């Protein structure tokens, strides 16, 4: 490999030298012929054949020498201004190929190609940074998925073993069977959410948009949790503007409302209150879902849309940390907006703004 590289460099040097030689020979020959013609006309000097031979030989030697000097200067220029930056970029690219996403290239100073190479280097560093972040997310995602899968599987295995205990009472059998059912349901929800989130993040879901009444959809989604809110004796307050029509993917938006309602009911203590409001603001439809639950701190609020993030570890068994990540991705895909206001011990309000139909 090294021998081939040396041969290639030698051939390149010969090529450059030949180009400079031909260029010098042409330019100097033309200049010499012009000079001799003008000299003979103005001074009546007659050049003999011997004089011309000597002049030709000297000119040829000068062409050889000047071509060599130009070749050396050009080689140095290429090495300093092109080869060094290119070698730095190639070396960094090879590290990236080997999985080292921490590599960065320092900007080049005081070269003729400074702007061009620095633009390339800046793009390369941004690419490396994005790859590093993606790799970190992938690693964390795999670790979190593995952990989340282990928990329900361990529960199912343990209670399955307990069910095999001889002389088990009917009460215990029902209790253990319910635990296995709950764990299997949690596992199914986890897998389902992972698949949905994966499709959304990879743009594999084609949104099917059509006009529909947003108020009717919100009522349908909220009524789907009637059994849960009645079980906790929650007060439900609704204030819905009439005839608020939006054009969106109804199925995707139903996932948003179901996740927000589920969280509101889940984290609101028995006897608490949940409020749903739908209003209009110019060309926007504004949905506010409030609860009187435990609330979240500012630090938790920064990460609440991250995958698998659960600010309250004591409530980890109530979800898998993917619901709000799904919500955020759908909101982004539909070009809507979501914001959250919360205070620990007071409650939380999620606000979703989406474009509404104003024609007619």
């Amino acid at each position: 490999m090294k021998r081939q590289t040396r041969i290639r460099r030698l051939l390149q040097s010969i090529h450059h030298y030949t180009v400079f030689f031909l260029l010098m020979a042409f330019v100097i020959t033309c200049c010499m012929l012009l000079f001799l013609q003008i000299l003979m006309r103005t001074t009546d000097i007659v050049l003999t054949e011997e004089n011309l031979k000597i002049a030709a030989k000297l000119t040829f030697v000068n062409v050889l020498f000047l071509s060599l000097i130009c070749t050396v200067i050009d080689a140095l220029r290429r090495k300093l201004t092109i080869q060094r930056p290119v070698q730095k970029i190639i070396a960094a690219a090879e590290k990236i190929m080997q999985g080292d996403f921490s590599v960065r290239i320092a900007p080049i100073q005081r070269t003729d190609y400074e702007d061009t190479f620095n633009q390339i280097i800046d793009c390369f560093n941004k690419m490396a940074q994005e790859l590093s972040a993606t790799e970190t997310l992938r690693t964390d995602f795999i670790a979190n998925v593995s952990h989340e899968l282990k928990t329900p599987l361990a529960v199912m295995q343990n209670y399955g073993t307990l069910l095999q205990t001889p002389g088990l009472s009917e009460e215990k059998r029902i209790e253990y069977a319910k635990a296995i059912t709950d764990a299997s349901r949690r596992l199914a929800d986890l897998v389902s959410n992972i698949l949905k989130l994966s499709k959304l993040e990879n743009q594999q879901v084609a949104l099917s948009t059509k006009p529909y009444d947003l108020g009717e959809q919100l009522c349908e989604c909220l009524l789907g949790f009637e059994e849960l809110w009645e079980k906790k004796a929650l007060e439900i307050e609704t204030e819905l503007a009439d005839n608020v029509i939006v054009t969106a993917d109804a199925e995707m938006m139903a996932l948003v409302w179901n996740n927000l309602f589920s969280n509101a009911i889940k984290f609101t203590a028995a006897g608490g209150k949940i409020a749903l409001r739908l209003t209009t603001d110019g060309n926007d439809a504004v949905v506010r879902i409030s609860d009187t639950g435990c609330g979240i701190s500012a630090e938790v609020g920064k990460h609440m849309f991250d995958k698998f993030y659960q600010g309250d570890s004591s409530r980890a068994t109530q979800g898998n940390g993917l619901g709000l990540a799904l919500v955020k991705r759908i909101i982004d895909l539909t070009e809507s907006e979501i914001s959250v206001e919360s205070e620990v011990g007071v409650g939380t309000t999620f606000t979703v703004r989406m474009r509404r139909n104003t024609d007619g």
Side-chain angles (χ1 to χ4, degrees):
M1 188 67 181
K2 291 183 178 180
R3 186 168 178 270
Q4 292 178 348
T5 302
R6 286 198 295 269
I7 293 174
R8 186 169 63 251
R9 289 178 179 175
L10 178 61
L11 292 176
Q12 288 177 348
S13 298
I14 293 173
H15 171 73
H16 292 153
Y17 179 81
T18 303
V19 171
F20 280 117
F21 174 80
L22 294 175
L23 181 62
M24 289 286 180
F26 176 76
V27 172
I28 292 176
T29 300
C30 291
C31 292
M32 286 298 297
L33 289 175
L34 182 61
F35 172 74
L36 291 175
Q37 286 181 1
I38 294 175
L39 180 66
M40 287 187 294
R41 288 177 185 175
T42 56
T43 62
D44 293 331
I45 295 177
V46 178
L47 297 175
T48 63
E49 184 178 350
E50 187 67 23
N51 296 138
L52 291 174
K53 286 182 178 180
I54 294 173
K57 290 177 180 179
L58 289 173
T59 302
F60 181 74
V61 172
N62 284 334
V63 170
L64 291 175
F65 180 69
L66 291 174
S67 299
L68 179 61
I69 291 176
C70 289
T71 302
V72 172
I73 293 174
D74 183 65
L76 291 173
R77 180 190 64 82
R78 286 174 177 271
K79 185 176 182 63
L80 294 174
T81 61
I82 298 178
Q83 290 181 6
R84 282 188 178 180
V86 169
Q87 287 299 324
K88 286 183 178 180
I89 295 173
I90 291 174
E94 288 176 347
K95 290 183 179 179
I96 290 286
M97 292 168 59
Q98 295 170 3
D100 181 8
F101 300 115
S102 63
V103 62
R104 299 291 185 273
I105 306 174
I108 299 169
Q109 304 294 332
R110 296 185 299 276
T111 69
D112 294 338
Y113 299 87
E114 180 180 353
D115 290 338
T116 302
F117 275 115
N118 280 340
Q119 289 176 9
I120 296 173
I121 288 171
D122 185 52
C123 291
F124 183 94
N125 289 338
K126 289 180 180 178
M127 177 195 71
Q129 184 176 358
E130 290 296 327
L131 287 173
S132 178
T134 301
E135 178 64 15
T136 301
L137 286 175
R138 185 186 70 85
T139 303
D140 291 345
F141 184 80
I142 292 174
N144 285 321
V145 167
S146 300
H147 174 74
E148 292 292 335
L149 288 174
K150 283 181 180 179
T151 303
L153 287 173
V155 170
M156 294 165 67
Q157 183 179 11
N158 292 336
Y159 281 104
T161 302
L162 290 173
L163 278 174
Q164 301 174 33
T165 305
L168 191 67
S169 66
E170 183 69 13
E171 182 182 354
K172 287 294 183 182
R173 185 183 64 79
I174 294 175
E175 179 186 344
Y176 296 161
K178 183 178 183 301
I180 292 175
T181 303
D182 292 342
S184 63
R185 186 179 294 112
R186 181 184 173 197
L187 184 60
D189 290 342
L190 172 63
V191 173
S192 177
N193 283 339
I194 289 174
L195 291 175
K196 289 176 184 176
L197 188 58
S198 177
K199 289 181 179 180
L200 287 171
E201 290 188 335
N202 292 313
Q203 303 289 341
Q204 294 178 356
V205 175
L207 297 180
S208 177
T209 60
K210 61 180 180 180
Y212 66 89
D213 192 307
L214 182 57
E216 290 183 4
Q217 184 187 47
L218 289 168
C219 287
E220 290 175 3
C221 291
L222 183 58
L223 287 173
F225 295 90
E226 184 175 7
E227 183 180 348
L228 293 177
W229 88 57
E230 287 184 347
K231 185 177 180 180
K232 298 181 73 172
L234 299 178
E235 179 186 350
I236 305 297
E237 179 183 300
T238 60
E239 182 184 335
L240 304 176
D242 295 329
N243 197 33
V244 179
I245 308 299
V246 296
T247 299
D249 189 315
E251 185 178 351
M252 288 291 104
M253 292 309 299
L255 283 175
V256 172
W257 312 131
N258 286 337
N259 272 287
L260 294 180
F261 288 141
S262 175
N263 280 344
I265 295 172
K266 185 188 305 179
F267 298 117
T268 301
K273 176 181 176 181
I274 292 176
L276 167 64
R277 290 182 174 81
L278 170 61
T279 59
T280 59
D281 183 12
N283 294 328
D284 292 339
V286 183
V287 179
R288 291 183 176 87
I289 299 174
S290 306
D291 63 61
T292 57
C294 57
I296 56 175
S297 65
E299 181 61 28
V300 173
K302 295 177 182 178
H303 304 282
M304 66 187 312
F305 294 111
D306 296 347
K307 293 187 287 289
F308 293 106
Y309 187 81
Q310 294 175 324
D312 187 352
S313 58
S314 66
R315 298 176 182 266
T317 57
Q318 301 185 46
N320 50 52
L322 287 178
L324 289 179
L326 272 171
V327 167
K328 185 64 169 67
R329 187 59 184 145
I330 293 170
I331 290 296
D332 290 342
L333 285 175
T334 56
E335 298 181 350
S336 303
E337 298 178 6
I338 186 169
S339 59
V340 59
E341 298 176 7
S342 186
E343 186 177 345
V344 176
V346 176
T348 303
T349 298
F350 284 93
T351 302
V352 176
R353 301 180 71 95
M354 55 190 304
R355 185 71 63 177
R356 69 185 180 98
N357 294 11
T358 55
D359 297 338

